[in-house]
Amino acid sequence: VTLLNIIFILVSLTFLCSRGNEQWRNYVLIAGNELDMYQSQFLELRQRLLYAEKENKKRSHELSSALDEIKHVVAKRMNLTNHTGLLHCWLFILCVCWKMLNLTRKLPMHLTNMYYYLPHLREYEDAIFPDIIFGRQRTGVSLVTGIPTVKREKQDYLINTLHSLLYELSEEQKNDCVIIIFVAEVNAQYVNRVAESVKTSFPTEIQSGVLEVISPPASYYPDLSNLKKTLGDSEDRVRWRTKQNLDYSFLMLYAQPKGTFYLQLEDDIIAKPGYIQSIKDFAAKQSQEWMILEFSQLGFIGKLFKSEDLPLIVDFFLMFYKDKPIDWLMDHLLWVKVCNPEKDAIHCEKEKAKLRIRAKPSLFQHVGIYSSLAGKIQNLKDKDFGQSVLHKAHNNPPAKVDTSLRIYQQYTLEKVYKGKGWFWASAPVAGDYISFTFLNPLKVEKYFFRSGNMEHPGDKLFNTTVEVLPADEMLRKELVDNGGKFNYPATKDGYLTIGAFENGIAEGSVDQSIGKIQAIRLLVNSDSPVWAIISEVSMLIKTF
């Protein structure tokens, strides 16, 4: 209910009441009763409009002030005997307005349960609603992915993780998913810095709604300073894992109404190409009821849930959020659901395995070294992930390769061209180039260049064009003199610019009227903030 709507209602109903039209007054009473009938619809809308709660906070305050003024006016006029009917109507209007406001504040049952487990929230009505920094409030998708991220002492992995998750996604897949980055910090400066970093790295995905960035209100967290030490953990570790449980719970409840499945990840992983389709295929072939599908054997990485199960899961987490780590709590929940205390542990594990089904090979690998827990080093690796495919080989024609970039160690241009490795170089600057000069001029039908790879998806070429050098010297001279031909702009040294890198990839066809090609060049047009990897080079040659 917006301030404009309320003002309109006030003005309209005041006019009706002042006219003393009893018939219209009855109509208003009926309308007021119908508000109760539509309560459930309002509650559903309330879930989808969580973000509006924060955006409209200022308006709500203004509205409250306005209604206070109305109360004041009504109280004054109550003393005037000749306006009793109008005053009663004003009081009725006031009651209807408050009823409408209160109705929009009611919460679904699984959210109100939070007040039992986190009683401090009763003093902070808005504490269970996130601050939404960026997002299109996308709903109705198949897969919702949640990634909590916190400030680390030494190294951040979030941007590389997002690059990996978005790597090679089709437009259809992007339209049917949403990735929620939950910045689980209350320092506004840090939260905004992370959000801006995501927006700068992925402007298209932010604009389209594939990515959302949210954070919790500071009042969401209870006092974590005097927690009981359990499991032999230090005070810092108990505090860390307790907050982590609260973070997962907040994120899951926010994600719950957005899609069919919810995928839990962490901010320091890489994903295998095609992971979304693999997840959908594995879920579709399950013939029995399940609660978790696991796509990694590590911790709480790669765990898939049905969104309809999330309220129950979060309830359980919040009951025991101070007692044990999140993955242990998940195991206990499965025990409660299916294990028989009168039978042995082997039987229990078999029953739990029916609800928690493991997919192999793993689709996600943990790559972080520095934990979000200060001072903790963790070299955890999923053995079922296998070797990462970091380059793709093609049978390219014989050519001389050259580059102005500073090559890193053994990652030479010759290796990627011959399909024996990938090319890796320090950050390019404007004017840098990578060239492939054919030993014999050839008719090139298509070209394909991929920058970045699965382990370093952010090391891409940006603002880089694809140029071809015609073998015909007369044509090259004409290009230099006239500045272009075949609808392609020409460079001063006779190259035609036929394409450019977009999101790390350059691909296209070559106009056959250009004739045979002597060389193909990649030209960097501006300084890059990151190193550059080329992991795939393909030249499709026309044969006669």
Side-chain angles (χ1 to χ4, degrees):
V1 182
T2 65
L3 180 58
L4 186 60
N5 295 145
I6 294 295
I7 292 172
F8 177 78
I9 292 169
L10 288 172
V11 173
S12 301
L13 294 182
T14 302
F15 173 76
L16 291 174
C17 292
S18 65
R19 293 290 301 270
N21 190 324
E22 189 64 28
Q23 193 173 24
W24 280 104
R25 203 173 297 175
N26 290 337
Y27 174 80
V28 173
L29 287 170
I30 292 170
N33 291 333
E34 286 182 347
L35 287 173
D36 289 330
M37 296 172 55
Y38 294 112
Q39 180 170 346
S40 60
Q41 287 92 330
F42 273 108
L43 292 180
E44 290 178 13
L45 287 174
R46 185 65 185 82
Q47 273 296 90
R48 293 195 176 192
L49 297 174
L50 290 177
Y51 77 100
E53 189 70 27
K54 289 291 180 182
E55 296 293 328
N56 289 331
K57 211 169 183 183
K58 184 178 178 181
R59 294 178 183 176
S60 296
H61 178 73
E62 293 172 353
L63 180 58
S64 296
S65 299
L67 290 175
D68 285 339
E69 288 297 319
I70 294 171
K71 283 183 184 179
H72 181 67
V73 172
V74 170
K76 276 188 175 181
R77 294 192 179 184
M78 285 290 287
N79 297 322
L80 303 177
T81 57
N82 57 339
H83 292 292
T84 303
L86 181 59
L87 292 175
H88 286 169
C89 191
W90 267 94
L91 286 172
F92 167 74
I93 294 169
L94 191 59
C95 291
V96 169
C97 291
W98 277 114
K99 188 172 186 179
M100 293 171 73
L101 286 173
N102 289 334
L103 182 60
T104 63
R105 307 294 296 183
K106 291 181 181 178
L107 299 169
M109 184 58 68
H110 67 265
L111 287 180
T112 58
N113 286 348
M114 295 180 73
Y115 295 125
Y116 294 104
Y117 311 127
L118 302 170
H120 76 283
L121 293 178
R122 297 170 190 172
E123 300 178 18
Y124 304 99
E125 188 175 339
D126 295 330
I128 58 175
F129 302 124
D131 292 316
I132 299 175
I133 296 96
F134 296 120
R136 291 288 184 179
Q137 297 304 301
R138 180 181 286 190
T139 59
V141 299
S142 295
L143 184 64
V144 182
T145 300
I147 305 175
T149 185
V150 296
K151 188 175 183 179
R152 298 173 187 263
E153 283 189 341
K154 293 193 176 181
Q155 187 172 355
D156 290 323
Y157 305 94
L158 177 62
I159 298 301
N160 276 344
T161 293
L162 294 175
H163 274 300
S164 179
L165 291 174
L166 295 167
Y167 186 67
E168 290 190 330
L169 287 192
S170 66
E171 285 304 309
E172 181 181 359
Q173 289 173 330
K174 287 183 178 181
N175 291 333
D176 194 32
C177 74
V178 60
I179 300 172
I180 304 166
I181 300 103
F182 176 55
V183 188
E185 299 285 354
V186 296
N187 182 301
Q189 187 176 4
Y190 176 77
V191 170
N192 291 331
R193 188 163 69 246
V194 173
E196 286 299 325
S197 175
V198 173
K199 184 181 179 182
T200 300
S201 299
F202 307 98
T204 303
E205 288 76 11
I206 287 287
Q207 180 65 30
S208 67
V210 178
L211 294 180
E212 289 189 19
V213 183
I214 67 172
S215 67
S219 52
Y220 168 65
Y221 297 104
D223 183 6
L224 301 177
S225 61
N226 294 306
L227 296 170
K228 180 181 178 181
K229 290 196 287 186
T230 59
L231 308 177
D233 286 343
S234 67
E235 184 177 339
D236 285 344
R237 187 176 179 86
V238 171
R239 187 182 302 109
W240 170 75
R241 74 175 198 229
T242 298
K243 179 182 176 297
Q244 192 176 64
N245 290 343
L246 293 172
D247 292 340
Y248 282 122
S249 299
F250 191 103
L251 176 54
M252 285 179 163
L253 286 182
Y254 173 75
Q256 192 269 333
K258 289 180 169 290
T260 306
F261 299 110
Y262 174 78
L263 176 66
Q264 185 64 65
L265 292 177
E266 293 184 3
D267 66 350
D268 55 353
I269 58 97
I270 57 172
K272 280 190 173 176
Y275 73 94
I276 286 185
Q277 192 58 50
S278 297
I279 287 173
K280 289 182 177 180
D281 292 344
F282 190 77
K285 74 178 184 181
Q286 301 308 312
S287 58
Q288 65 186 48
E289 280 299 311
W290 55 271
M291 195 165 190
I292 314 174
L293 300 182
E294 296 188 327
F295 297 94
S296 171
Q297 65 173 331
L298 298 178
F300 217 46
I301 297 172
K303 305 301 185 275
L304 187 77
F305 304 91
K306 287 175 279 191
S307 293
E308 63 189 29
D309 290 339
L310 291 179
L312 168 68
I313 293 169
V314 170
D315 267 1
F316 192 85
F317 288 166
L318 291 177
M319 286 183 202
F320 306 103
Y321 74 95
K322 298 178 184 178
D323 301 310
K324 291 187 177 181
I326 196 82
D327 47 340
W328 290 20
L329 291 179
M330 193 69 238
D331 188 72
H332 290 326
L333 175 56
L334 297 179
W335 190 98
V336 169
K337 287 185 71 70
V338 297
C339 289
N340 186 337
E342 297 179 355
K343 296 191 177 181
D344 60 19
I346 295 176
H347 178 269
C348 180
E349 289 302 316
K350 287 181 180 179
E351 292 301 307
K352 287 192 294 183
K354 295 177 183 178
L355 292 182
R356 181 173 55 201
I357 301 171
R358 177 87 167 84
K360 291 184 180 181
S362 296
L363 298 180
F364 306 99
Q365 178 65 285
H366 181 262
V367 296
I369 297 175
Y370 301 102
S371 171
S372 56
L373 175 61
K376 181 183 178 185
I377 303 294
Q378 50 183 18
N379 290 306
L380 299 175
K381 295 296 177 185
D382 190 333
K383 295 179 181 179
D384 293 330
F385 184 77
Q387 292 294 319
S388 302
V389 179
L390 301 179
H391 71 279
K392 189 172 182 179
H394 292 277
N395 186 23
N396 291 311
K400 177 185 177 183
V401 299
D402 185 33
T403 181
S404 62
L405 293 169
R406 191 174 68 181
I407 300 169
Y408 177 64
Q409 294 184 358
Q410 75 274 17
Y411 302 100
T412 62
L413 193 56
E414 288 86 352
K415 283 189 175 180
V416 69
Y417 190 74
K418 294 179 179 180
K420 296 180 179 180
W422 69 93
F423 170 70
W424 202 0
S426 56
V429 297
D432 273 335
Y433 67 87
I434 296 168
S435 68
F436 308 90
T437 303
F438 302 121
L439 300 186
N440 297 299
L442 299 168
K443 276 211 164 187
V444 180
E445 284 192 80
K446 295 181 179 180
Y447 63 88
F448 183 92
F449 299 96
R450 184 189 302 280
S451 60
N453 62 23
M454 197 165 68
E455 286 192 354
H456 303 278
D459 287 1
K460 297 178 180 179
L461 286 171
F462 299 95
N463 196 14
T464 300
T465 50
V466 180
E467 304 170 342
V468 295
L469 181 68
D472 188 332
E473 291 188 11
M474 293 297 294
L475 176 57
R476 292 208 298 266
K477 185 177 184 303
E478 182 183 348
L479 293 176
V480 172
D481 293 339
N482 298 330
K485 195 172 183 180
F486 313 113
N487 293 321
Y488 295 131
T491 64
K492 293 180 179 179
D493 53 353
Y495 280 81
L496 286 169
T497 302
I498 62 170
F501 278 79
E502 292 185 13
N503 197 27
I505 291 174
E507 61 180 326
S509 301
V510 180
D511 190 331
Q512 294 302 294
S513 58
I514 297 175
K516 291 185 177 181
I517 302 298
Q518 184 67 62
I520 293 182
R521 181 172 70 186
L522 310 180
L523 184 66
V524 179
N525 297 295
S526 62
D527 295 355
S528 173
V530 296
W531 285 30
I533 285 177
I534 296 182
S535 55
E536 187 176 355
V537 174
S538 174
M539 314 277 192
L540 181 62
I541 306 304
K542 186 174 182 178
T543 55
F544 298 93

